[in-house]
């Protein structure tokens, strides 16, 4: 009995240490929702690029297809950030934890450098007309951000990041398939990741 109690106490200590050093308020369901946003954006992008009726949305010569895709991507990004923050705050309150602490600050700093770098590079590519490289660049730098931040949260985040990088590299080789790979990376992989995190840590 004493040995069992010792193992139990050691397990509790380990759990407390992990909670103090890891940001575990990330919601798996938010990953699923973010993936759904991305898939909807991908379908809309495909419609804009390939449907002859999409010209009705361009408002004459005021908007180009690239502008609409860029605006769509920004809206998806803002919606994803808001969803992730709201659901993380809800999960943190449920677990009686603070969403803003040393670990979350470290996580934010780790992911911000690759994300900001990738965002600036993407704007430069857009300004120079290299639209076919944007999806691959976003996937690669998003994957780098996830792998950099994974030491502060779930291990699954690291594997999601590695897969995103792989898709981005494939996107550089097949730049005409950028929209499809973007949907796979930000959509399908996010949904799978979200379900895994939810089933493993929340259900």
């Amino acid at each position: 009995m004493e040995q069992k109690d010792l193992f139990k106490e050691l397990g509790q200590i380990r759990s407390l240490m992990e909670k103090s050093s890891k940001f575990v308020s990330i919601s798996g369901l938010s990953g699923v929702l973010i993936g759904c946003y991305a898939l909807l954006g991908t379908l809309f992008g495909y419609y804009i690029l390939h449907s002859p009726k999409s010209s009705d949305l361009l408002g004459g010569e005021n908007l180009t297809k690239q502008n609409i895709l860029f605006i769509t991507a920004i809206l998806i990004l803002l919606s994803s950030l808001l969803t992730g923050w709201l659901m993380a705050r809800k999960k943190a309150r449920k677990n009686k934890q603070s969403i803003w602490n040393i670990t979350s600050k470290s996580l934010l700093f780790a992911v911000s450098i690759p994300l900001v770098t990738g965002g600036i590079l993407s704007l430069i590519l857009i300004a120079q007309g290299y639209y076919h490289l944007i999806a691959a660049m976003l996937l690669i730098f998003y994957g780098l951000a996830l792998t950099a931040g994974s030491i502060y949260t779930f291990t699954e985040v690291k594997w999601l990041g590695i897969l995103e990088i792989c898709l981005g590299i494939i996107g550089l080789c097949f730049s005409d398939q950028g929209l499809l790979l973007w949907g796979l990376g930000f959509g399908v992989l996010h949904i799978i990741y979200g379900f895994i995190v939810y089933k493993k840590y929340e259900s």
Side-chain angles (χ1 to χ4, degrees):
M1 286 296 293
E2 292 182 0
Q3 189 175 12
K4 289 183 179 179
D5 291 339
L6 178 61
F7 284 134
K8 185 177 180 180
E9 286 187 21
L10 289 173
Q12 291 175 344
I13 293 172
R14 180 182 177 184
S15 178
L16 289 172
M17 290 178 66
E18 287 180 348
K19 287 182 178 180
S20 64
S21 62
K22 300 280 188 179
F23 184 72
V24 294
S25 295
I26 297 176
S27 170
L29 291 180
S30 69
V32 175
L33 288 175
I34 290 170
C36 291
Y37 299 160
L39 286 180
L40 289 174
T42 301
L43 292 174
F44 180 72
Y46 187 86
Y47 172 80
I48 290 296
L49 291 175
H50 300 287
S51 175
K53 295 182 180 180
S54 65
S55 57
D56 297 336
L57 296 175
L58 299 179
E61 298 180 355
N62 296 326
L63 288 173
T64 64
K65 291 184 178 181
Q66 288 82 6
N67 286 336
I68 287 185
L69 292 177
F70 181 73
I71 293 170
T72 301
I74 293 296
L75 291 175
I76 291 173
L77 173 63
L78 294 176
S79 300
S80 299
L81 290 174
L82 181 61
T83 299
W85 178 74
L86 288 175
M87 297 192 74
R89 186 180 67 169
K90 180 181 179 181
K91 183 178 177 182
R93 287 181 174 177
K94 181 180 179 181
N95 295 331
K96 297 180 180 179
Q97 298 173 342
S98 173
I99 194 175
W100 191 242
N101 50 43
I102 295 176
T103 306
S104 61
K105 291 176 183 177
S106 299
L107 173 62
L108 181 62
F109 180 77
V111 302
S112 63
I113 296 176
L115 286 180
V116 171
T117 303
I120 293 173
L121 178 59
S122 296
L123 290 175
I124 293 173
L125 292 175
I126 290 173
Q128 296 182 353
Y130 296 105
Y131 300 104
H132 59 290
L133 298 177
I134 302 301
M137 288 294 102
L138 290 176
L139 285 167
I140 289 172
F141 281 94
Y142 180 62
L144 290 172
L146 292 178
T147 53
S150 63
I151 60 174
Y152 299 106
T153 185
F154 305 122
T155 305
E156 287 76 10
V157 173
K158 177 181 68 176
W159 295 110
L160 175 62
I162 292 173
L163 291 174
E164 299 284 2
I165 294 171
C166 292
L167 282 179
I169 293 173
I170 294 172
L172 291 177
C173 300
F174 303 96
S175 57
D176 57 329
Q177 300 297 323
L179 185 61
L180 173 63
L181 293 171
W182 194 89
L184 287 174
F186 292 106
V188 176
L189 286 183
H190 255 287
I191 291 174
I192 294 173
Y193 152 82
F195 272 121
I196 291 174
V197 170
Y198 177 76
K199 294 296 290 184
K200 188 173 181 179
Y201 300 104
E202 300 174 45
S203 61

